Amino acid sequence: MDGQLVEKGRQDMRQLALRLASLFPALFSRENYGRLRLITSSKHRCMDSSAAFLQGLWQHYHPGLPPPDVADMEFGPPTVNDKLMRFFDHCEKFLTEVEKNATALYHVEAFKTGPEMQNILKKVAATLQVPVNDLNADLIQVAFFTCSFDLAIKGVKSPWCDVFDIDDAKVLEYLNDLKQYWKRGYGYTINSRSSCTLFQDIFQHLDKAVEQKQRSQPISSPVILQFGHAETLLPLLSLMGYFKDKEPLTAYNYKKQMHRKFRSGLIVPYASNLIFVLYHCENAKTPKEQFRVQMLLNEKVLPLAYSQETVSFYEDLKNHYKDILQSCQTSEECELARANSTSDEL
């Protein structure tokens, strides 16, 4: 079942839909139902997530009735858009310099053979009564993930959990964070810059809603739902300046990073979500004060990365991210620097 959505994942999405519909009743109103816009990655787990989310919404409108198949619901299937939801697959510079570069994850490999991991290897070898040379960091990770997955998916405690204690879990969490940091976060600039298209797309939708409201027109797409991956969200949050530590995460500063901000398990857990909420304020004194934005990460208010305020005038938010909105062109960011080749024309 590798890479597919399990029942627990479907349940998570249905319940998320129910919570969001309760949190934003005006947006998820019955009359807006037909105007919902859904975009998804081509991966089956994302398409299945979007279908489960729609079923959750259906339950919100028809409590007590079993939801029909998504194909039988009143609007068409979600639009697949990998350029937005899997931008990393379409960025040549990222693919060459990070994804397919054997040395890009140097710190991950170095940490695997470092003292913290060696300590776990010895402890686990003693517990299992096997020679320490029969074990390596990758096998330890498999055991740890087996413990995690059984707990998350089935709600049962695997016997593999017994070979680890809380300190081991913290080390293994750091190993995973190192990978996410260097491959999807602040490790390389291209990781986050490759997400500019998605960032700009979000603001184009917000701009359009502002424009329609100013012209007293109905909002054509009151709710836009985009289903992607943890690997879609982490670069985007890094692009916006969230969870940035003063020092990079490396193979050699585990103890120093005990209180780090970059904890991928808290930032992008299962069913993680980032929400931009645009508000129109009727009693605003100036045009600028009419439109405000609040962001939620995993359904909790996400203060602005630059001011710690919980809400911003839309204009101020756009101003802060002016460089990304105006100067970040994915085609340029993702282009590989090619050696200038001169050829004589014959």
Side-chain angles (χ1 to χ4, degrees):
M1 299 299 285
D2 180 25
Q4 295 187 42
L5 196 65
V6 294
E7 184 47 42
K8 180 76 174 105
R10 288 192 190 90
Q11 192 185 321
D12 277 352
M13 295 317 287
R14 287 194 293 265
Q15 289 172 352
L16 174 63
L18 288 166
R19 290 194 303 273
L20 292 183
S22 304
L23 192 57
F24 302 111
L27 285 179
F28 287 94
S29 63
R30 195 71 189 82
E31 58 269 31
N32 279 350
Y33 188 52
R35 289 190 287 175
L36 291 179
R37 282 194 53 195
L38 272 81
I39 291 147
T40 174
S41 136
S42 61
K43 294 287 178 188
H44 278 293
R45 57 188 173 278
C46 292
M47 295 166 84
D48 290 348
S49 291
S50 64
F53 189 96
L54 285 175
Q55 288 181 328
L57 278 186
W58 201 89
Q59 285 176 305
H60 175 74
Y61 301 123
H62 311 92
L65 293 176
D69 275 351
V70 175
D72 302 329
M73 288 187 189
E74 58 211 72
F75 57 85
T79 309
V80 171
N81 188 339
D82 280 345
K83 282 221 163 93
L84 276 184
M85 297 291 96
R86 294 181 64 83
F87 48 77
F88 40 87
D89 277 350
H90 300 265
C91 183
E92 208 181 332
K93 187 174 183 181
F94 170 76
L95 294 173
T96 305
E97 295 183 1
V98 183
E99 179 81 49
K100 296 171 186 168
N101 177 358
T103 59
L105 300 186
Y106 164 82
H107 285 281
V108 178
E109 296 310 314
F111 191 71
K112 284 180 183 177
T113 55
E116 294 86 2
M117 283 300 295
Q118 288 308 309
N119 187 30
I120 297 181
L121 282 174
K122 285 180 198 149
K123 275 165 50 179
V124 172
T127 305
L128 299 178
Q129 299 181 339
V130 298
V132 72
N133 292 343
D134 286 1
L135 298 179
N136 59 39
D138 292 341
L139 286 170
I140 295 291
Q141 261 195 309
V142 169
F144 186 63
F145 282 139
T146 303
C147 159
S148 321
F149 290 159
D150 271 359
L151 187 61
I153 295 167
K154 301 178 193 163
V156 300
K157 188 184 162 197
S158 157
W160 285 106
C161 296
D162 294 334
V163 303
F164 302 110
D165 61 26
I166 190 76
D167 291 328
D168 301 335
K170 285 176 182 173
V171 171
L172 289 159
E173 178 196 16
Y174 190 69
L175 175 59
N176 196 43
D177 285 348
L178 272 177
K179 182 183 174 186
Q180 300 300 338
Y181 182 89
W182 289 96
K183 197 171 180 182
R184 307 292 175 183
Y186 292 105
Y188 301 102
T189 313
I190 191 58
N191 295 352
S192 59
R193 296 298 279 187
S194 63
S195 73
C196 288
T197 349
L198 177 56
F199 187 75
Q200 290 160 358
D201 179 77
I202 292 165
F203 277 81
Q204 279 160 14
H205 289 304
L206 295 170
D207 278 346
K208 190 176 177 185
V210 165
E211 201 180 301
Q212 288 174 332
K213 192 75 183 170
Q214 284 169 334
R215 293 180 179 171
S216 303
Q217 295 172 336
I219 310 298
S220 51
S221 303
V223 181
I224 292 143
L225 300 158
Q226 301 180 319
F227 294 83
H229 307 264
E231 296 79 7
T232 312
L233 265 186
L234 270 181
L236 187 66
L237 289 164
S238 302
L239 184 72
M240 294 173 72
Y242 285 103
F243 311 108
K244 187 170 191 178
D245 294 287
K246 286 191 175 71
E247 285 182 34
L249 276 61
T250 75
Y252 314 108
N253 61 3
Y254 169 70
K255 282 203 170 68
K256 257 181 140 172
Q257 295 286 18
M258 289 293 258
H259 301 290
R260 66 191 176 279
K261 294 176 189 163
F262 192 88
R263 286 183 186 272
S264 57
L266 298 180
I267 304 167
V268 284
Y270 289 128
S272 55
N273 52 84
L274 174 65
I275 306 173
F276 289 75
V277 194
L278 180 66
Y279 288 94
H280 178 250
C281 308
E282 300 288 350
N283 55 359
K285 294 181 183 69
T286 64
K288 175 185 168 172
E289 290 175 14
Q290 267 192 28
F291 295 98
R292 305 182 190 210
V293 170
Q294 186 168 63
M295 286 175 286
L296 307 178
L297 178 63
N298 303 326
E299 301 164 76
K300 292 187 184 75
V301 171
L302 180 67
L304 301 164
Y306 52 94
S307 72
Q308 293 308 298
E309 294 287 320
T310 57
V311 68
S312 165
F313 293 127
Y314 181 51
E315 205 177 298
D316 289 348
L317 185 69
K318 279 177 69 171
N319 234 347
H320 178 74
Y321 290 117
K322 190 166 67 219
D323 163 60
I324 305 168
L325 290 170
Q326 292 170 8
S327 318
C328 185
Q329 301 304 324
T330 304
S331 53
E332 290 168 23
E333 299 288 333
C334 288
E335 197 175 18
L336 275 174
R338 288 191 168 79
N340 284 341
S341 58
T342 52
S343 59
D344 294 328
E345 285 189 16
L346 295 173

